[in-house]
Amino acid sequence: MTMRTPIRTTLAGAALVGLLATTGATAATAGEDPAAGPPVGAEAEVYEAEDGELAGVEVDNTAPGFSGSGYVTGFDADDDQVTITIPESPGGLHELTVHYRTPSGQKNAVLLLNGSGMGEITLPETDEFAALPAGKVLLQEGTNTLTVRSGWGWYEIDAISLEPAAERPPHQVTGEPVNPDASPEARSLLGYLTDHYGNGILSGQQDMASIEWIEENLGTSPAIAGLDLMDYSPSRVERGTVGVDVDHALDWDEGGGITTFVWHWNAPSGLIDEPGNEWWRGFYTEATTFDVEAALADPTSEDYGLLLRDIDAIADELQRLEDAGVPVLWRPLHEAEGGWFWWGAKGAEPAKELWRLMYDRLTEVHGLDNLIWVWNSVDPEWYPGDDVVDIVSADSYPPPGDHGPLSATYDQLVELGQDRKLVALTECGPIPDPDLLTAYRADWSWFVTWSGEFLTDGNWNSREHLEHVYSHPDVITLDEVGDFKNHGR
């Protein structure tokens, strides 16, 4: 069955980073002349969209607040676009800002650099022209072009601006777990990841069948196995599922590999169970009537009790791993801010409250100390707090063959954790090119490629690219991991 929904807010590009809209992007500062347009940095060069090459779009000047002589509008067909020329560039890494307006609601735009795909950016709704930080772009010396193509359309592009990217300061990550009683194995693994941070990226792959494919086709193995507690969800178990991934994790650990777990948590109740929304799709918002906000609001309710029941059932499985000395990179409530999973369907506050309930239940009630807590959303509004998060992360599904470094998303996560938290790419379609990770200074701790076609169809990741990644000196594979459970001891 298909469980992946492309994460449109984390898509990335080959020559440009994965471009993720920064929430809270604002229009001109209060007190400034709106006609002057959004402010930019002192070193920024502004390139007006109305001076670009237009295809299926037009210049308008009726909405107030634009810069230059107008803005470009009419993005309503798939191929509508504006191409902006950047002449006489010295080359090098630059910060990109997109100046735009989206009066009809949040939209997505497709970007290309010098004709190469760069994925999408998300343009938050705004009635005024706003400046959106859109990541880094590696310009070639001389003339470059940046194209904005329709995507979801129905927005207006005023300009782009570029300024040289500043040097990244040293990371401030300490490797101290948020659980003061963390097991020796968990402490050691977090310390291992911290010591490797910025000095290489650990390879990872979702599900054992895909790992076996890598071993058979590439002659090597990833350092990290991505596994799922989905089939241990009580509302699935009562319908006959039998989980096997904890057994896989025990075997993987015995072979020297690192384990990360996600939980596609089938809703505790309210499964719609009809064609298109079958019971086994019960982690999707559209497939259940379960209301997480209402359940959390009443600790005496049946649904609140079912939340605890489900967490307790998962605790039993995690306890098997702790008993065997297996530390777990634990990533529950993933992609919450997307809203497509029921735990994020009611907004940020219930999702954060559920995270804290789970943390307290697993850590304090069940005494599970082998978990390293991996938060999986980028928006600061959704962040549950430094005291209950060890690692911040994002999932990204750029277009097939787009191996950009996702540095805009990476930079946002660095800021989210104030550079005191490790940053991980916990799901991806195309694997970022390790050479670009260095060029864009995107120090992802690890990546986990999703399973099935994302690995094997030759489209999302070509055989040549997979060989490039798995043989790269900066990519850590299973045979290079070492004794991560006794690191520094």
Side-chain angles (χ1 to χ4, degrees):
M1 64 180 175
T2 301
M3 294 197 308
R4 292 296 328 134
T5 297
I7 314 307
R8 292 190 179 275
T9 55
T10 54
L11 290 176
L16 181 71
V17 303
L19 296 169
L20 181 72
T22 300
T23 57
T26 58
T29 304
E32 293 182 355
D33 178 5
V40 296
E43 296 183 61
E45 294 284 346
V46 179
Y47 303 91
E48 296 293 341
E50 67 270 21
D51 296 333
E53 180 181 345
L54 310 182
V57 292
E58 61 186 10
V59 175
D60 196 0
N61 59 9
T62 56
F66 58 84
S67 62
S69 60
Y71 54 88
V72 175
T73 189
F75 294 91
D76 52 18
D78 289 347
D79 294 333
D80 289 351
Q81 65 183 43
V82 56
T83 297
I84 302 168
T85 297
I86 305 159
E88 300 179 354
S89 171
L93 204 58
H94 287 68
E95 299 284 357
L96 171 68
T97 299
V98 175
H99 305 262
Y100 76 102
R101 192 173 81 103
T102 49
S104 301
Q106 178 174 296
K107 304 297 179 183
N108 277 32
V110 175
L111 299 183
L112 300 91
L113 177 66
N114 297 324
S116 296
M118 303 187 302
E120 294 179 319
I121 55 170
T122 298
L123 305 173
E125 181 176 8
T126 172
D127 289 330
E128 300 177 346
F129 284 99
L132 180 74
K136 295 181 177 66
V137 55
L138 187 60
L139 299 178
Q140 63 188 17
E141 187 175 350
T143 299
N144 295 260
T145 61
L146 185 123
T147 300
V148 181
R149 184 171 289 170
S150 188
W152 288 1
W154 302 103
Y155 51 77
E156 292 158 354
I157 301 298
D158 182 23
I160 64 169
S161 57
L162 294 163
E163 57 185 311
E167 288 293 327
R168 187 183 300 284
H171 295 300
Q172 304 300 311
V173 179
T174 65
E176 182 65 24
V178 292
N179 177 6
D181 298 320
S183 69
E185 294 84 1
R187 285 184 174 275
S188 179
L189 174 55
L190 190 57
Y192 172 90
L193 295 173
T194 300
D195 286 348
H196 282 83
Y197 190 47
N199 297 308
I201 184 170
L202 280 86
S203 55
Q205 178 59 54
Q206 187 71 24
D207 90 36
M208 295 310 300
S210 295
I211 290 175
E212 291 172 2
W213 187 94
I214 291 175
E215 292 171 345
E216 292 171 1
N217 287 272
L218 301 180
T220 186
S221 191
I224 299 175
L227 301 170
D228 198 336
L229 290 173
M230 176 178 66
D231 281 337
Y232 300 91
S233 302
S235 68
R236 296 175 75 91
V237 172
E238 64 190 21
R239 289 167 170 81
T241 64
V242 178
V244 296
D245 272 10
V246 171
D247 296 309
H248 289 323
L250 293 169
D251 291 341
W252 182 254
D253 177 81
E254 195 170 308
I258 298 169
T259 299
T260 182
F261 265 102
V262 68
W263 180 18
H264 281 89
W265 184 353
N266 233 55
S269 67
L271 300 180
I272 293 174
D273 198 14
E274 62 184 25
N277 285 315
E278 295 84 358
W279 63 265
W280 42 264
R281 292 174 54 85
F283 39 83
Y284 283 123
T285 298
E286 64 185 14
T288 179
T289 61
F290 187 82
D291 187 327
V292 63
E293 183 177 31
L296 291 169
D298 183 4
T300 66
S301 68
E302 179 182 359
D303 280 346
Y304 187 91
L306 291 175
L307 287 173
L308 298 184
R309 176 205 67 177
D310 286 14
I311 295 171
D312 292 347
I314 295 305
D316 291 341
E317 303 304 326
L318 294 172
Q319 187 64 62
R320 292 174 57 196
L321 296 169
E322 182 170 40
D323 290 345
V326 180
V328 175
L329 297 169
W330 173 231
R331 186 173 65 102
L333 308 189
H334 65 296
E335 301 173 10
E337 70 190 67
W340 41 78
F341 297 136
W342 62 262
W343 49 85
K346 295 296 181 176
E349 294 309 314
K352 292 188 289 187
E353 184 178 352
L354 183 58
W355 177 274
R356 285 187 168 272
L357 174 66
M358 183 182 295
Y359 180 89
D360 290 342
R361 190 79 178 175
L362 293 181
T363 302
E364 302 298 333
V365 176
H366 291 282
L368 286 164
D369 297 325
N370 64 323
L371 306 179
I372 296 172
W373 290 79
V374 183
W375 178 248
N376 189 226
S377 290
V378 178
D379 190 337
E381 181 185 353
W382 291 71
Y383 187 55
D386 288 341
D387 60 321
V388 289
V389 172
D390 289 305
I391 296 171
V392 292
S393 71
D395 298 349
S396 178
Y397 290 83
D402 185 340
H403 303 295
L406 308 171
S407 69
T409 305
Y410 176 82
D411 288 347
Q412 286 181 292
L413 289 169
V414 168
E415 183 176 355
L416 181 67
Q418 300 175 68
D419 205 19
R420 294 197 292 267
K421 307 288 184 182
L422 292 171
V423 176
L425 180 59
T426 42
E427 290 182 27
C428 64
I431 305 170
D433 186 331
D435 291 330
L436 289 177
L437 295 180
T438 299
Y440 280 80
R441 309 165 194 159
D443 297 332
W444 297 100
S445 177
W446 74 84
F447 70 84
V448 173
T449 315
W450 201 249
S451 55
E453 64 178 359
F454 295 103
L455 175 68
T456 62
D457 74 353
N459 190 27
W460 294 89
N461 291 288
S462 69
R463 180 65 172 266
E464 180 182 14
H465 181 68
L466 290 172
E467 291 174 348
H468 169 64
V469 169
Y470 273 90
S471 64
H472 198 282
D474 293 339
V475 175
I476 300 169
T477 51
L478 180 61
D479 60 314
E480 299 168 323
V481 170
D483 187 3
F484 64 88
K485 285 203 252 181
N486 290 287
H487 182 73
R489 291 199 275 165

